[in-house]
Amino acid sequence: MPKTHPPQVVLDVSYPADRLALVQHQPAAQPGFEVPAEPGHVAVDAAFEGRLFTCLDFCETGPSDCELAVSDCSQ
């Protein structure tokens, strides 16, 4: 298998859009780190060197306010 440089990671997440909402993600989208999202699906496509720490923050939809439920993705 040929080595690619820099390494690339693809993460594909499907979730029930009627129950969950993606509130935020870290790191922010930037060249080499794309995060296309739509209700029920989010994909992460990252080219990186070193360590990659990624956070996808979801909130259960309904009577709660998802804006107030944002966690600290920096940990």
Side-chain angles (χ1 to χ4, degrees):
M1 178 178 216
K3 292 184 180 183
T4 60
H5 203 10
Q8 184 162 1
V9 172
V10 177
L11 174 65
D12 191 44
V13 179
S14 295
Y15 58 92
D18 59 329
R19 295 189 53 216
L20 297 174
L22 178 65
V23 180
Q24 71 170 342
H25 59 81
Q26 294 291 332
Q30 55 191 287
F33 190 84
E34 303 298 324
V35 188
E38 58 187 47
H41 182 253
V42 62
V44 176
D45 188 351
F48 67 99
E49 291 189 38
R51 293 183 182 183
L52 174 65
F53 294 96
T54 304
C55 175
L56 300 174
D57 194 5
F58 294 89
C59 174
E60 188 171 4
T61 58
S64 66
D65 186 0
C66 285
E67 298 296 322
L68 300 176
V70 176
S71 67
D72 181 9
C73 277
S74 64
Q75 297 180 354

